[in-house]
Amino acid sequence: MKISNYFDVDTKSLNCFNIETATDTKRYLDPTKIVFSNNKYFNHDLASKKIGDFFKTLLELHDDNRENEILELLKNIHEVNDTHLGESKNKVNGHGPKFDALVEAMNTISDIEKIVKLDKNVILSTSLVFNIFVLDFGPDSYSDLITNIIYAELSDYTEKILKVYGQKMLPHKADRFSWNEKKHSWEKIVVKYFEIDGERIVLFPKKIAVSSHQGSSVKYLQSVIFDKIRADLLKNDPKFKANQKELKKIVKGMYPGMTSKEIDISLTKTNPDLFLKFCEKLTKDNKGKS
């Protein structure tokens, strides 16, 4: 059953994302979209602050050599399938985020943060660093992490949407965890239930769920990095021409055996302005479109 069927409303007029209750939809929560969300029932300002503070906290702990505390933060993240988003095809059976990659990437992230002179208080830049430059950390795990961080805001949004459609949360409650941006730690929260046919449901605005993250390593590569490589090739040969597909083949030849993220890391370390340009591009593209 889809949420629109349950609420008995037209899909186009539905305020929330139209999830299916018995399976996962291959979509991911996108922090960039959350920053620019203007849904009146969703506290995007607080959600954005929490996401920024979480990643800022990881960076600061790493810079202070407090690795054990990083491990504790990551270890205490709980698997949550309430959004019904992710990779599973026929059943909600996700395995939750895999965080070994985050731990292994902290040196790289810290190096880039120092080179770029990242403003750790800016949600867009801090969340993008962790999405683009962490190897072996896919969109599903990243989305799961975001869900954990802003679970309180998603639960609050769910309750408001239920009221819009004349529904109520169930009387019994459940323990969940959400990020506390003031204490810089996880906190246990007690939230009311909403479920359909025994499936726990948490709702979210349509526009914060995407088929691919705007700040992905591939999009970073194919925008500002491709632009730089094209410009460099033009300097050597003013007659150089190549469409995006041809340029992709050229770049693969220039960096044999390297993944998009590995190329991104390599070029960003020597050209830190590329990352800032990408942040500016996403900001420009999203303003007024939420």
Side-chain angles (χ1 to χ4, degrees):
M1 179 182 291
K2 288 195 171 184
I3 293 296
S4 58
N5 301 128
Y6 183 83
F7 289 156
D8 193 23
V9 297
D10 179 73
T11 303
K12 290 183 179 179
S13 63
L14 184 66
N15 184 283
C16 60
F17 187 88
N18 199 18
I19 63 172
E20 296 213 26
T21 60
T23 187
D24 281 355
T25 302
K26 198 172 181 181
R27 293 288 188 277
Y28 315 102
L29 295 189
D30 189 335
T32 302
K33 291 295 186 182
I34 291 171
V35 170
F36 296 101
S37 172
N38 62 359
N39 189 300
K40 66 180 181 180
Y41 301 110
F42 177 64
N43 192 341
H44 70 93
D45 282 337
L46 182 54
S48 296
K49 285 178 184 176
K50 287 188 174 186
I51 294 168
D53 184 73
F54 176 82
F55 291 119
K56 177 185 174 184
T57 299
L58 289 186
L59 279 167
E60 290 179 347
L61 289 175
H62 177 77
D63 291 344
D64 291 341
N65 296 313
R66 295 157 68 184
E67 305 301 324
N68 288 337
E69 291 180 54
I70 291 177
L71 293 173
E72 282 299 311
L73 284 182
L74 300 180
K75 184 180 73 175
N76 286 317
I77 299 175
H78 296 257
E79 180 180 349
V80 178
N81 290 321
D82 301 353
T83 58
H84 293 256
L85 296 178
E87 301 289 348
S88 59
K89 306 274 189 232
N90 302 312
K91 186 180 179 182
V92 179
N93 57 3
H95 299 293
K98 297 177 181 178
F99 295 114
D100 288 348
L102 272 180
V103 176
E104 292 169 4
M106 287 307 303
N107 284 332
T108 297
I109 296 295
S110 182
D111 288 345
I112 289 174
E113 180 258 320
K114 288 180 174 65
I115 294 168
V116 175
K117 296 180 180 177
L118 183 69
D119 183 350
K120 288 185 282 191
N121 292 307
V122 179
I123 160 63
L124 187 58
S125 56
T126 48
S127 62
L128 285 175
V129 166
F130 279 86
N131 194 19
I132 295 173
F133 302 114
V134 179
L135 301 176
D136 301 319
F137 194 61
D140 198 29
S141 292
Y142 188 63
S143 180
D144 283 345
L145 174 56
I146 300 303
T147 301
N148 274 264
I149 294 170
I150 64 168
Y151 194 90
E153 287 62 53
L154 296 177
S155 180
D156 180 63
Y157 172 79
T158 301
E159 188 165 8
K160 289 176 181 176
I161 294 302
L162 288 176
K163 288 180 181 178
V164 170
Y165 296 111
Q167 307 287 334
K168 292 181 179 179
M169 293 281 210
L170 297 178
H172 49 289
K173 299 179 180 180
D175 291 341
R176 286 290 187 267
F177 286 83
S178 189
W179 186 252
N180 186 314
E181 82 287 359
K182 294 178 180 177
K183 296 180 179 178
H184 315 298
S185 63
W186 296 108
E187 66 175 353
K188 183 183 287 187
I189 58 174
V190 180
V191 294
K192 296 178 183 176
Y193 255 97
F194 170 52
E195 62 179 38
I196 299 175
D197 296 332
E199 294 286 351
R200 177 71 191 272
I201 305 291
V202 69
L203 303 174
F204 47 91
K206 295 177 184 178
K207 292 185 178 179
I208 71 169
V210 297
S211 57
S212 61
H213 288 113
Q214 280 195 306
S216 71
S217 58
V218 171
K219 290 182 180 178
Y220 179 53
L221 177 70
Q222 294 180 355
S223 57
V224 295
I225 286 186
F226 271 21
D227 288 347
K228 176 190 169 30
I229 292 173
R230 190 190 301 274
D232 289 345
L233 291 171
L234 276 168
K235 284 181 183 178
N236 295 326
D237 179 7
K239 295 182 179 180
F240 172 78
K241 288 184 180 180
N243 59 32
Q244 201 77 344
K245 186 176 180 180
E246 292 167 338
L247 190 58
K248 180 180 178 181
K249 188 174 181 180
I250 291 170
V251 172
K252 281 191 173 182
M254 293 171 66
Y255 299 93
M258 292 178 68
T259 65
S260 296
K261 289 192 176 187
E262 289 169 335
I263 297 172
D264 291 342
I265 291 168
S266 176
L267 281 177
T268 302
K269 284 185 174 180
T270 54
N271 302 272
D273 61 309
L274 292 175
F275 179 73
L276 297 176
K277 284 181 181 178
F278 189 61
C279 290
E280 290 170 3
K281 181 180 184 302
L282 288 187
T283 299
K284 184 179 178 180
D285 290 346
N286 280 281
K287 276 188 175 179
K289 292 185 178 181
S290 299

